[in-house]
Amino acid sequence: QKEVEQDPGPLSVPEGAIVSLNCTYSNSAFQYFMWYRQYSRKGPELLMYTYSSGNKEDGRFTAQVDKSSKYISLFIRDSQPSDSATYLCASTTDSWGKLQFGAGTQVVVTP
Amino acid sequence: EPEVTQTPSHQVTQMGQEVILRCVPISNHLYFYWYRQILGQKVEFLVSFYNNEISEKSEIFDDQFSVERPDGSNFTLKIRSTKLEDSAMYFCASSEVETGDQPQHFGDGTRLSIL
């Protein structure tokens, strides 16, 4: 059973639209949830980091975690062409523990 | 902003040869990690390292792999007798941890091509 599942896309949206990304996970012990952005031939760049359930907002980005349904979401408001990238969700049981990644969703924001 | 740096950016090696991938973690970080990403696949955990010893390793991290912190700044991944299936992007990551819950920060990776 895959521990973190994520639709690989691609997801194409017009500039200015809201991008909605999500993941599901199976391991109830996961406590920490992250979203990373990855440009082509680059490393994962941390976008959002949350502990347990709840919402977190940072600028145009909002992360949501619902532990009861094992569902992780990322919303990008007022999307820009520069947001075009692959977005990876990741989870772990302890803050220092190994990350389990989703497959990544490719997002394309068209001008 | 401090960052994790990895060298080389691209390594081409003949099958059966040994390769060493190098990483300089963020200076005040204490936990170090290696992950790999085979083309078109997920990022996969290989190993974590803390206090000069391996704290966790995956099934992938078999006897052909080893890690070392040879000095106060570098963290290396050695692959002995490389195989074609070792071709992948290898990412180093580090986290601070001891000042509270801190996420892992990644380098831009080394693309390893085995011929």
Side-chain angles (χ1 to χ4, degrees), chain B residues 2-107:
Chain B
E3 57 183 25
V4 176
T5 57
Q6 291 186 244
T7 56
S9 57
H10 188 198
Q11 174 79 47
V12 181
T13 301
Q14 292 287 333
M15 185 173 60
Q17 297 296 305
E18 175 182 286
V19 65
I20 298 175
L21 310 182
R22 303 181 191 280
C23 169
V24 179
I26 295 172
S27 62
N28 63 335
H29 285 191
L30 300 175
Y31 255 94
F32 314 115
Y33 310 82
W34 285 101
Y35 292 80
R36 79 173 185 190
Q37 186 175 31
I38 295 171
L39 187 63
Q41 297 186 23
K42 288 185 178 185
V43 177
E44 302 174 287
F45 169 78
L46 292 178
V47 65
S48 59
F49 190 88
Y50 174 72
N51 200 25
N52 281 319
E53 61 183 25
I54 291 173
S55 52
E56 187 174 5
K57 60 183 181 180
S58 72
E59 291 177 354
I60 303 167
F61 194 88
D62 60 21
D63 290 344
Q64 71 164 146
F65 292 92
S66 62
V67 290
E68 190 178 29
R69 185 146 165 89
D71 53 43
S73 60
N74 289 283
F75 180 51
T76 62
L77 174 68
K78 181 190 292 186
I79 309 175
R80 290 181 282 275
S81 190
T82 50
K83 305 170 190 168
L84 292 176
E85 54 265 37
D86 294 329
S87 295
M89 284 291 292
Y90 287 81
F91 295 109
C92 175
S94 68
S95 67
E96 189 179 352
V97 183
E98 285 204 346
T99 59
D101 299 332
Q102 295 293 331
Q104 295 174 31
H105 295 267
F106 285 76

Side-chain angles (χ1 to χ4, degrees), chain A residues 2-58:
Chain A
K2 296 178 182 177
E3 289 208 83
V4 180
E5 302 224 32
Q6 183 177 9
D7 187 332
L11 178 64
S12 184
V13 300
E15 183 175 358
I18 295 176
V19 176
S20 175
L21 302 167
N22 55 74
C23 292
T24 58
Y25 65 93
S26 58
N27 188 343
S28 300
F30 285 154
Q31 296 277 13
Y32 297 87
F33 306 92
M34 284 132 279
W35 284 95
Y36 289 87
R37 178 174 62 195
Q38 187 176 27
Y39 293 112
S40 181
R41 298 197 179 278
K42 292 287 190 178
E45 172 193 2
L46 181 69
L47 285 177
M48 301 292 281
Y49 177 70
T50 55
Y51 170 71
S52 195
S53 283
N55 293 357
K56 186 173 184 178
E57 190 172 318
D58 184 1

Side-chain angles (χ1 to χ4, degrees), chain A residues 65-104:
Chain A
V65 176
D66 182 347
K67 290 191 71 182
S68 64
S69 58
K70 298 187 179 68
Y71 200 81
I72 315 163
S73 301
L74 178 71
F75 301 97
I76 308 173
R77 290 182 297 282
D78 187 26
S79 58
Q80 304 295 311
S82 58
D83 293 327
S84 297
T86 296
Y87 290 79
L88 309 171
C89 61
S91 303
T92 183
T93 54
D94 305 292
S95 62
W96 59 87
K98 64 182 180 185
L99 297 181
Q100 293 283 357
F101 281 89

